[in-house]
Amino acid sequence: NFIFYINQLIILVIIRSYAFIFLDLTVKYEGFSLNKEAKYILISNHYSKLDTFIVLAFIPFKQFLNSLPFTALIADIYLEKFYLRYFILYLCGCVSTDINRNNGVKPLEKIKNFIDQGRTPLIFPEGIMNKTGKFDNSIKLGVGAVYLERNNPDLYLIPVKIEYLDKRKVKITYKKPFR
């Protein structure tokens, strides 16, 4: 576990550095705070391949440490190359959306187990990148099922909104956790 935590901290530093150098980034926290005793599911819209890393990298550092380890559902299309698969699945601790890469375990079942183990998952409810910004009515309610089945009074949802205002200008808003 210690090495896994160190990997996530190193990735945090790399992504924050990249974002500060290459992006015009605005980060807002609207009632956002994390209690070390509670469990959380981060939910966000999805526009870019970097979204997973950017959402996790800009959680305030002390709260990031309190919520370690993190995990995220990653579409199998990003795992085709060996070096990306190794980096994303093993070093970052992510979960593939392909049941075959999860040793026959359904992705949401794996996320449920991780929540029970104290991990903080990031889920994109739409399941795909949505570059239109309009709500897709065909969204599967996977995050709702995970949340409701846990029936845990200490489990909260944290909405995160990502807006790409142009190629380099990005605004991230972390909202207040709710039940």
Side-chain angles (χ1 to χ4, degrees):
N1 261 353
F2 178 74
I3 300 220
F4 184 67
Y5 286 13
I6 296 301
N7 285 338
Q8 289 201 336
L9 288 172
I10 290 169
I11 292 164
L12 168 89
V13 169
I14 292 168
I15 297 299
R16 276 191 178 203
S17 300
Y18 170 87
F20 282 125
I21 292 168
F22 296 107
L23 299 175
D24 179 6
L25 189 68
T26 303
V27 182
K28 291 177 64 179
Y29 305 98
E30 296 178 356
F32 177 80
S33 68
L34 303 178
N35 175 346
K36 188 172 183 165
E37 305 305 316
K39 295 179 181 182
Y40 299 95
I41 300 174
L42 291 153
I43 52 174
S44 178
N45 60 313
H46 191 17
Y47 187 86
S48 163
K49 294 176 184 176
L50 288 176
D51 291 344
T52 300
F53 302 106
I54 288 177
V55 167
L56 296 178
F58 288 94
I59 294 172
F61 189 70
K62 183 176 179 184
Q63 294 181 19
F64 180 87
L65 291 176
N66 287 339
S67 301
L68 280 172
F70 287 93
T71 192
L73 281 174
I74 300 292
D76 204 55
I77 192 168
Y78 303 124
L79 305 174
E80 291 174 357
K81 295 187 168 117
F82 169 77
Y83 61 91
L84 284 177
R85 185 170 47 250
Y86 179 79
F87 175 76
I88 291 171
L89 292 181
Y90 303 107
L91 295 181
C92 297
C94 294
V95 175
S96 172
T97 57
D98 181 359
I99 194 168
N100 296 319
R101 291 212 195 273
N102 298 326
N103 299 323
V105 179
K106 292 180 181 177
L108 290 179
E109 284 300 316
K110 200 159 186 169
I111 290 294
K112 290 176 198 175
N113 293 335
F114 283 157
I115 291 169
D116 293 340
Q117 295 168 15
R119 285 195 186 187
T120 304
L122 166 61
I123 298 176
F124 300 106
E126 290 178 283
I128 58 171
M129 287 192 295
N130 180 346
K131 296 194 180 213
T132 67
K134 295 180 181 174
F135 185 74
D136 181 355
N137 289 326
S138 67
I139 294 173
K140 296 177 184 173
L141 298 175
V143 69
V146 170
Y147 176 73
L148 293 172
E149 287 179 13
R150 297 288 42 98
N151 195 20
N152 182 333
D154 293 326
L155 181 61
Y156 294 85
L157 297 175
I158 303 172
V160 180
K161 181 179 180 183
I162 305 171
E163 297 173 89
Y164 286 83
L165 306 172
D166 65 35
K167 272 191 165 183
R168 292 191 61 237
K169 190 170 182 131
V170 181
K171 180 180 176 184
I172 305 170
T173 305
Y174 295 84
K175 302 280 188 168
K176 182 178 181 177
F178 69 93
R179 288 200 31 74

